[in-house]
Structures are given as C-alpha cells and as structure tokens.
C-alpha cells in the first residue's frame, strides 16, 4: 500500500465529472487500498477518486467503525427531510461548515469485484455518501455550505 497525495481546492481535478469504473481488476484494488490508507493517515471519514487525482467513480468511507468501498455509487432514494450539520473535507483544509443533507438515503453501488449492493442508511452515513458522491460530480461541500462553523 502507498499513500497518495490529496488534491486541494483550487485544483481543476476536483471540478470534473468522474467516469464509471468498468474494470474490476488489481489496479482498482491497489487504488482502493491506497485510498483507505490515505484517508486514515489524514483522519478522514471519506475519500473520493478526484481527491487523489483519479477521475473515476470510486469512494471509500469509514463510518462508525464500518468500512465501505463504493464503486459507481448512485443515490437512488433520499428522504425529503434534511438535517443541518457540520462537514469538513480533506481537500478543503481548515474549513468546516454547516450543510443540509437528506436524513436518509439509499445508495446502489458495486463492490471491488463488480457485485451490486444496495444500502439504506441515515444521519452520518447519509451525509458522508452525499458528500462523496458530490465529489464524483465536481461538487465541493463549500458550494452548499450555509455558513462556516
Ligand atoms: Zn470531501
């Protein structure tokens, strides 16, 4: 495993749309392992492909001790109810702010072998998935931030 460099706001990579992953091979697995290591090293909860300079639909997260790898994630349902809470981002150092996110979401994605999975989750899980899926579309949390915190 190896640490990857985290791309910071201002770099155009963070503003581009990511392509779907089509090959579920060893290159992908190495990348996922590297992304986990990089996320841990930087005390992050989630990391998306563009944050390590890879414009592919790849997300890793660790929420309440549970690890998630999401390839080609798609939010298929979201609650109308939203919650305002604090967010930060490894690509936006020294900034935290309040963002409204759906209380509950359902996400469909593929695992590292290409198998489809569906998870419904709420609160911090929902927030984290929304934040990371935004990254895959070139959106940063500061774009949606109501105020700094
Ligand atoms: Zn982020």
């Amino acid at each position: 495993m190896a640490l990857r460099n985290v791309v910071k706001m201002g770099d155009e990579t963070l503003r581009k749309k990511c392509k779907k992953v089509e090959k579920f091979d060893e290159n992908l697995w190495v990348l996922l392992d590297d992304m986990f290591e990089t996320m841990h090293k930087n005390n992050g909860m989630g990391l998306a492909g563009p944050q390590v300079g890879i414009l592919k639909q790849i997300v890793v997260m660790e929420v309440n001790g549970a690890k998630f790898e999401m390839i080609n994630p798609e939010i298929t349902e979201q609650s109308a109810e939203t919650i305002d809470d604090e967010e930060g981002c490894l690509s936006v150092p020294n900034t935290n702010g309040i963002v409204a996110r759906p209380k509950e979401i359902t996400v469909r994605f593929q695992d590292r072998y290409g198998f489809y999975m569906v998870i419904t989750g709420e609160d911090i899980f929902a927030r984290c998935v929304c934040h990371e899926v935004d990254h895959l579309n070139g959106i940063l949390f500061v774009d949606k931030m109501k105020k700094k915190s």
Side-chain angles (χ1 to χ4, degrees), residues 70-122:
M70 297 185 181
I71 318 298
N72 303 328
E74 194 185 339
I75 294 170
T76 55
E77 280 179 69
Q78 57 183 62
S79 61
E81 183 188 358
T82 60
I83 293 184
D84 286 355
D85 207 348
E86 186 174 68
E87 288 185 25
C89 179
L90 295 181
S91 294
V92 190
N94 308 314
T95 303
N96 291 92
I98 304 297
V99 183
R101 301 286 190 185
K103 175 164 174 59
E104 184 179 282
I105 58 115
T106 298
V107 58
R108 181 174 183 264
F109 59 94
Q110 285 164 282
D111 70 7
R112 64 166 59 200
Y113 306 105
F115 292 106
Y116 282 96
M117 302 182 73
V118 176
I119 297 181
T120 298
E122 56 180 23

Side-chain angles (χ1 to χ4, degrees), residues 24-142:
F24 295 81
D25 59 7
E26 195 147 338
N27 292 329
L28 174 68
W29 305 337
V30 168
L31 173 62
L32 286 164
D33 292 343
D34 286 357
M35 285 173 69
F36 265 113
E37 193 180 350
T38 304
M39 180 181 77
H40 283 142
K41 181 81 180 175
N42 292 285
N43 298 313
M45 283 184 62
L47 197 64
Q51 294 183 276
V52 291
I54 308 285
L55 288 170
K56 295 214 174 127
Q57 295 178 19
I58 299 171
V59 163
V60 300
M61 296 177 9
E62 186 164 347
V63 178
N64 297 329
K67 290 181 179 178
F68 300 93
E69 296 176 345
M70 297 185 181
I71 318 298
N72 303 328
E74 194 185 339
I75 294 170
T76 55
E77 280 179 69
Q78 57 183 62
S79 61
E81 183 188 358
T82 60
I83 293 184
D84 286 355
D85 207 348
E86 186 174 68
E87 288 185 25
C89 179
L90 295 181
S91 294
V92 190
N94 308 314
T95 303
N96 291 92
I98 304 297
V99 183
R101 301 286 190 185
K103 175 164 174 59
E104 184 179 282
I105 58 115
T106 298
V107 58
R108 181 174 183 264
F109 59 94
Q110 285 164 282
D111 70 7
R112 64 166 59 200
Y113 306 105
F115 292 106
Y116 282 96
M117 302 182 73
V118 176
I119 297 181
T120 298
E122 56 180 23
D123 299 327
I124 190 72
F125 175 85
R127 177 167 301 278
C128 207
V129 170
C130 290
H131 177 117
E132 300 308 330
V133 169
D134 273 354
H135 272 300
L136 305 180
N137 292 306
I139 299 163
L140 297 175
F141 85 96
V142 288

